[in-house]
Amino acid sequence: MCSRYTLTSPPEAVRTLFGYANDAGFPPRYNIAPSQPVAIVRHGLRGQRELALVRWGLIPPWVKDPMNFAMLINARAETADVKPSFRSALRHRRCLVPADGFYEWTGRAGAKQPHLIKPKNGGLIALAGLWEHWLGADGSELETMAILTTTANAEMAAIHERMPVILTPDQFDEWLDCRSGRSQEAKKLLSPLPDRSLEITPVSKDLNNPRNDFPEVQRNMPDTLL
DNA sequence: CCAGACGTTGTT
DNA sequence: GTCTGG
DNA sequence: CCAGACGTTGTT
DNA sequence: GTCTGG
């Protein structure tokens, strides 16, 4: 699963890697949690890449009352093409989620140990996402997104069965281009990141509280066992 | 056909 | 114990 | 995911 | 809106 992540790279670095046309500032985030507004990159009306802020937690368009619907923060890559909640978004509304790393937990309730997972040499990564547009009967609108998950690669398997799909820059165009209206080619991009490319470090339990959004939550806890 | 669900994860 | 909010 | 709340009524 | 279960 992927249910918390971080994006601390400066906006100009994000824009350079993701190549969107519009410009937007955003503060460094050390502890991004579901239900919060997050930055995504998608194709705009003229096919140009754009940065948008949407809510993390996908609400399918047929939902009557979003307040009584458990938002979908992840979508299984293996089945997203057949699930009513994701099928249309996988065809028409794919996006990238800029991140510097993501978090997973080990341990039992009451002793939850968070771990930061990021590229061995640092830097930005792109999580594969789906976004959705919800229209209320009263005219209210809501844009939301979910992060795709796949099976864990070798490093991740040590702590967790699943991991978010991470795309490389050479895959960005094919993933973002939804003009064909088909999902099968895009689905083929959804594999685990190759082994030996990520590093996992235990971090401060301060991370557990989503209200703690400051650099110290990423403090390395070297003595902590996996 | 209509009614009712539509999701993931981890844990039990 | 279970749901909601972040 | 984890943390934190978990309720109703009437009044401002 | 679309799929599944009855």
Side-chain angles (χ1 to χ4, degrees):
Chain A
M1 193 171 182
C2 176
S3 48
R4 219 74 81 73
Y5 70 96
T6 172
L7 176 61
T8 57
S9 289
E12 51 273 29
V14 178
R15 193 176 179 214
T16 297
L17 180 66
F18 288 88
Y20 43 87
N22 57 322
D23 208 354
F26 41 84
R29 295 293 312 278
Y30 302 88
N31 196 358
I32 301 172
S35 80
Q36 295 177 351
V38 297
I40 64 166
V41 178
R42 64 185 175 192
H43 267 189
L45 292 176
R46 286 173 302 284
Q48 83 288 15
R49 292 185 193 172
E50 66 175 24
L51 185 88
L53 291 177
V54 307
R55 184 181 144 110
W56 184 10
L58 187 143
I59 305 290
W62 40 260
V63 165
K64 299 281 188 299
D65 177 13
M67 293 304 292
N68 289 321
F69 185 86
M71 60 188 180
L72 304 164
I73 67 176
N74 292 137
R76 289 180 69 93
E78 299 91 327
T79 54
D81 57 335
V82 295
K83 295 289 183 182
S85 293
F86 302 126
R87 194 167 87 124
S88 172
L90 186 65
R91 286 174 171 172
H92 304 292
R93 286 172 298 282
R94 302 189 289 268
C95 66
L96 296 169
V97 184
D100 288 283
F102 59 94
Y103 301 103
E104 291 291 355
W105 278 260
T106 57
R108 299 195 152 263
K112 287 290 185 179
Q113 175 59 53
H115 303 266
L116 170 63
I117 300 98
K118 61 184 179 61
K120 264 188 180 152
N121 299 315
L124 283 159
I125 54 176
L127 308 181
L130 304 174
W131 66 276
E132 200 39 276
H133 188 205
W134 182 87
L135 263 179
D138 62 355
S140 55
E141 295 184 62
L142 194 55
E143 288 193 324
T144 58
M145 74 88 176
I147 294 172
L148 286 152
T149 64
T150 184
T151 52
N153 71 4
E155 305 92 271
M156 280 301 296
I159 60 169
H160 211 74
E161 291 181 357
R162 310 276 308 166
M163 67 184 293
V165 176
I166 299 171
L167 297 178
T168 50
D170 58 295
Q171 299 175 307
F172 288 1
D173 273 325
E174 187 177 1
W175 178 249
L176 291 176
D177 184 355
C178 301
R179 285 174 298 182
S180 76
R182 289 189 305 259
S183 57
Q184 291 314 298
E185 296 88 344
K187 188 183 178 186
K188 289 180 189 137
L189 301 174
L190 303 177
S191 343
L193 195 70
D195 297 342
R196 291 179 292 282
S197 45
L198 295 172
E199 67 179 21
I200 305 175
T201 53
V203 294
S204 167
K205 285 192 173 67
D206 287 346
L207 181 85
N208 292 1
N209 191 333
R211 294 208 269 238
N212 293 337
D213 189 15
F214 41 76
E216 291 75 20
V217 297
Q218 295 183 352
R219 192 170 72 246
N220 192 2
M221 301 279 107
D223 296 334
T224 309
L225 299 173
L226 276 186

Coordinates of all heavy atoms in Angstrom, one line a residue, chain A residues 2 4-9 14 17-18 26 29 32 39-41 96-103 116-119 122-128 145 147 164-167 172 218:
Chain A
C2 N 0.3 2.3 -0.3 CA 1.0 3.6 -0.2 C 0.1 4.6 0.3 O -0.9 5.0 -0.3 CB 1.5 4.0 -1.6 SG 2.3 5.6 -1.6
R4 N 1.1 7.3 2.7 CA 1.7 8.5 3.1 C 2.9 8.7 2.3 O 3.6 7.7 1.9 CB 2.1 8.3 4.6 CG 1.9 9.5 5.5 CD 0.5 9.8 5.9 NE -0.1 9.0 7.0 CZ 0.3 9.2 8.3 NH1 1.2 10.1 8.7 NH2 -0.3 8.4 9.2
Y5 N 3.2 9.9 1.9 CA 4.4 10.2 1.1 C 5.0 11.6 1.4 O 4.4 12.3 2.2 CB 4.2 9.9 -0.4 CG 3.3 10.8 -1.1 CD1 3.9 11.9 -1.9 CD2 2.0 10.7 -1.2 CE1 3.1 12.8 -2.6 CE2 1.2 11.6 -1.9 CZ 1.7 12.6 -2.6 OH 1.0 13.5 -3.3
T6 N 6.1 11.9 0.7 CA 6.7 13.2 0.9 C 7.1 13.8 -0.4 O 7.4 13.1 -1.4 CB 8.0 13.0 1.8 OG1 8.7 14.2 1.9 CG2 8.9 11.9 1.2
L7 N 7.0 15.1 -0.4 CA 7.5 15.9 -1.6 C 8.1 17.2 -1.1 O 7.4 18.1 -0.7 CB 6.3 16.2 -2.5 CG 6.6 17.1 -3.7 CD1 7.6 16.5 -4.6 CD2 5.4 17.5 -4.5
T8 N 9.4 17.1 -1.1 CA 10.2 18.3 -0.5 C 11.1 19.0 -1.5 O 11.6 20.0 -1.2 CB 11.1 17.8 0.7 OG1 12.0 16.8 0.2 CG2 10.3 17.2 1.8
S9 N 11.2 18.4 -2.7 CA 12.0 19.1 -3.7 C 11.3 20.4 -4.1 O 10.1 20.5 -4.1 CB 12.0 18.2 -5.0 OG 12.9 17.1 -4.8
V14 N 10.7 20.2 -9.6 CA 9.6 19.3 -10.0 C 9.2 19.7 -11.4 O 9.0 18.8 -12.2 CB 8.4 19.5 -9.0 CG1 7.2 18.7 -9.4 CG2 8.8 19.2 -7.6
L17 N 11.6 18.3 -14.1 CA 11.5 16.8 -14.4 C 10.2 16.5 -15.0 O 10.1 15.7 -16.0 CB 11.6 16.0 -13.1 CG 11.5 14.5 -13.3 CD1 12.7 14.0 -14.1 CD2 11.4 13.8 -12.0
F18 N 9.1 17.1 -14.6 CA 7.8 16.7 -15.1 C 7.3 17.5 -16.3 O 6.4 17.1 -17.0 CB 6.7 16.8 -14.0 CG 6.9 15.7 -13.0 CD1 7.8 15.8 -11.9 CD2 6.3 14.5 -13.1 CE1 8.0 14.8 -10.9 CE2 6.5 13.4 -12.2 CZ 7.3 13.6 -11.1
F26 N 4.5 25.4 -4.2 CA 3.9 24.6 -3.2 C 5.0 24.4 -2.1 O 6.2 24.4 -2.4 CB 3.4 23.3 -3.7 CG 4.3 22.6 -4.7 CD1 5.4 21.9 -4.4 CD2 4.0 22.8 -6.1 CE1 6.2 21.3 -5.3 CE2 4.8 22.2 -7.1 CZ 5.9 21.5 -6.7
R29 N 6.6 19.2 1.7 CA 5.8 18.4 2.5 C 6.5 17.1 2.9 O 7.0 16.4 2.1 CB 4.5 18.0 1.7 CG 3.6 19.2 1.4 CD 3.0 19.9 2.6 NE 2.4 18.9 3.5 CZ 1.2 18.3 3.3 NH1 0.4 18.7 2.3 NH2 0.7 17.4 4.1
I32 N 2.6 13.7 3.8 CA 1.4 13.9 3.0 C 0.4 12.8 3.3 O 0.8 11.6 3.2 CB 1.7 14.0 1.5 CG1 2.6 15.2 1.2 CG2 0.4 14.2 0.7 CD1 3.1 15.3 -0.2
A39 N -0.3 17.6 -5.3 CA 0.1 18.0 -6.6 C 0.1 16.8 -7.5 O 0.7 15.8 -7.2 CB 1.4 18.7 -6.6
I40 N -0.6 16.9 -8.7 CA -0.5 15.9 -9.7 C -0.1 16.5 -11.0 O -0.3 17.7 -11.2 CB -1.8 15.1 -9.9 CG1 -2.9 16.0 -10.4 CG2 -2.2 14.4 -8.6 CD1 -4.1 15.2 -10.9
V41 N 0.4 15.7 -11.9 CA 0.7 16.2 -13.3 C -0.2 15.3 -14.2 O -0.2 14.1 -14.1 CB 2.2 16.0 -13.6 CG1 2.5 16.4 -15.1 CG2 3.1 16.8 -12.7
L96 N 0.5 11.6 -13.0 CA 1.7 11.3 -12.3 C 1.7 12.1 -10.9 O 1.1 13.2 -10.9 CB 3.0 11.8 -13.1 CG 3.2 11.1 -14.4 CD1 4.3 11.8 -15.2 CD2 3.6 9.6 -14.2
V97 N 2.2 11.5 -9.9 CA 2.2 12.1 -8.6 C 3.7 12.3 -8.2 O 4.4 11.4 -7.9 CB 1.5 11.2 -7.6 CG1 1.5 11.9 -6.2 CG2 0.1 10.8 -8.0
P98 N 4.1 13.6 -8.3 CA 5.5 13.9 -7.9 C 5.8 13.6 -6.4 O 4.9 13.9 -5.6 CB 5.7 15.4 -8.2 CG 4.6 15.7 -9.1 CD 3.4 14.8 -8.8
A99 N 6.9 12.9 -6.1 CA 7.2 12.6 -4.7 C 8.7 12.4 -4.6 O 9.5 12.3 -5.6 CB 6.6 11.3 -4.4
D100 N 9.2 12.6 -3.4 CA 10.6 12.3 -3.1 C 10.8 10.9 -2.4 O 11.9 10.4 -2.4 CB 11.2 13.4 -2.2 CG 11.4 14.7 -3.0 OD1 12.4 14.7 -3.7 OD2 10.6 15.6 -2.8
G101 N 9.7 10.4 -1.9 CA 9.7 9.1 -1.3 C 8.3 8.8 -0.7 O 7.4 9.6 -0.8
F102 N 8.2 7.6 -0.2 CA 6.9 7.2 0.4 C 7.2 6.5 1.7 O 8.3 6.1 2.0 CB 6.0 6.5 -0.6 CG 6.6 5.2 -1.1 CD1 6.3 4.0 -0.4 CD2 7.5 5.2 -2.2 CE1 6.9 2.8 -0.9 CE2 8.1 4.0 -2.6 CZ 7.8 2.8 -2.0
Y103 N 6.1 6.2 2.5 CA 6.3 5.6 3.8 C 5.5 4.2 3.8 O 4.5 4.1 3.2 CB 5.8 6.5 4.9 CG 6.5 7.8 4.9 CD1 5.9 9.0 4.5 CD2 7.8 8.0 5.5 CE1 6.5 10.2 4.5 CE2 8.4 9.2 5.5 CZ 7.7 10.3 5.1 OH 8.3 11.6 5.1
L116 N 10.9 5.2 5.6 CA 11.0 6.0 4.4 C 11.6 5.3 3.3 O 12.7 4.7 3.5 CB 11.7 7.3 4.7 CG 12.1 8.2 3.5 CD1 10.8 8.7 2.8 CD2 13.0 9.4 3.9
I117 N 11.0 5.2 2.2 CA 11.5 4.5 1.0 C 11.7 5.6 -0.1 O 10.8 6.3 -0.5 CB 10.5 3.4 0.5 CG1 10.3 2.4 1.5 CG2 11.1 2.8 -0.8 CD1 9.0 2.6 2.3
K118 N 13.0 5.6 -0.6 CA 13.3 6.6 -1.6 C 14.4 6.1 -2.5 O 15.0 5.1 -2.2 CB 13.7 7.9 -1.0 CG 14.9 7.9 -0.1 CD 15.1 9.3 0.5 CE 16.3 9.4 1.5 NZ 17.6 9.1 0.9
P119 N 14.6 6.7 -3.6 CA 15.7 6.2 -4.5 C 17.0 6.2 -3.8 O 17.3 7.1 -3.0 CB 15.7 7.2 -5.7 CG 14.4 7.9 -5.6 CD 14.0 7.9 -4.2
G122 N 18.6 9.4 -4.1 CA 17.8 10.5 -3.8 C 17.1 11.0 -5.1 O 17.2 10.4 -6.1
G123 N 16.5 12.2 -5.0 CA 15.8 12.8 -6.2 C 14.4 12.4 -6.3 O 13.8 11.6 -5.5
L124 N 13.7 13.1 -7.3 CA 12.3 12.9 -7.4 C 11.9 11.6 -8.0 O 12.7 11.0 -8.8 CB 11.8 14.0 -8.3 CG 11.7 15.4 -7.7 CD1 11.7 16.5 -8.7 CD2 10.4 15.5 -6.8
I125 N 10.8 11.1 -7.7 CA 10.2 10.0 -8.3 C 8.7 10.3 -8.8 O 8.2 11.3 -8.3 CB 10.1 8.7 -7.4 CG1 9.4 9.0 -6.1 CG2 11.5 8.2 -7.2 CD1 9.2 7.8 -5.2
A126 N 8.2 9.5 -9.7 CA 6.8 9.7 -10.2 C 6.0 8.5 -9.8 O 6.3 7.4 -10.3 CB 6.9 10.0 -11.7
L127 N 5.0 8.7 -9.0 CA 4.1 7.6 -8.7 C 3.0 7.7 -9.8 O 2.5 8.7 -10.2 CB 3.5 7.8 -7.3 CG 4.5 8.0 -6.2 CD1 3.7 8.2 -4.9 CD2 5.5 6.9 -6.1
A128 N 2.5 6.5 -10.2 CA 1.4 6.4 -11.2 C 0.1 6.6 -10.4 O -0.2 5.9 -9.4 CB 1.5 5.0 -11.9
M145 N -7.7 11.9 -6.5 CA -6.8 10.9 -7.2 C -6.5 9.8 -6.3 O -6.7 9.8 -5.0 CB -5.5 11.6 -7.6 CG -4.6 12.0 -6.5 SD -3.4 10.6 -6.1 CE -2.4 11.4 -4.8
I147 N -3.5 6.4 -5.9 CA -2.2 5.9 -6.3 C -2.2 4.4 -6.7 O -2.8 3.6 -5.9 CB -1.1 6.2 -5.2 CG1 -0.9 7.7 -5.1 CG2 0.2 5.5 -5.6 CD1 -0.1 8.1 -3.9
P164 N 3.8 1.3 -4.3 CA 3.2 2.1 -5.4 C 4.0 1.8 -6.7 O 5.2 1.5 -6.7 CB 3.5 3.5 -4.9 CG 4.6 3.4 -3.9 CD 4.5 2.1 -3.3
V165 N 3.3 2.0 -7.8 CA 3.9 2.0 -9.1 C 4.7 3.2 -9.3 O 4.2 4.3 -9.1 CB 2.9 1.8 -10.2 CG1 3.6 1.9 -11.6 CG2 2.1 0.5 -10.1
I166 N 6.0 3.1 -9.6 CA 6.9 4.2 -9.9 C 7.3 4.2 -11.3 O 7.8 3.2 -11.8 CB 8.2 4.1 -9.0 CG1 7.8 4.1 -7.5 CG2 9.2 5.2 -9.3 CD1 8.9 3.8 -6.5
L167 N 7.0 5.3 -12.0 CA 7.3 5.4 -13.4 C 8.6 6.2 -13.6 O 8.9 7.1 -12.9 CB 6.2 6.0 -14.2 CG 4.9 5.2 -14.2 CD1 3.8 6.0 -14.9 CD2 5.0 3.8 -14.7
F172 N 6.8 8.6 -19.0 CA 5.8 9.7 -18.7 C 4.8 9.9 -19.8 O 3.6 10.0 -19.6 CB 6.5 11.0 -18.3 CG 7.2 11.0 -17.0 CD1 7.3 9.9 -16.2 CD2 7.9 12.2 -16.6 CE1 7.9 9.9 -15.0 CE2 8.6 12.2 -15.4 CZ 8.6 11.1 -14.6
Q218 N 11.6 12.8 9.3 CA 12.4 11.9 8.5 C 13.7 11.5 9.1 O 14.6 11.0 8.5 CB 12.7 12.5 7.1 CG 11.4 12.7 6.3 CD 11.6 13.3 4.9 OE1 12.7 13.7 4.6 NE2 10.5 13.3 4.1

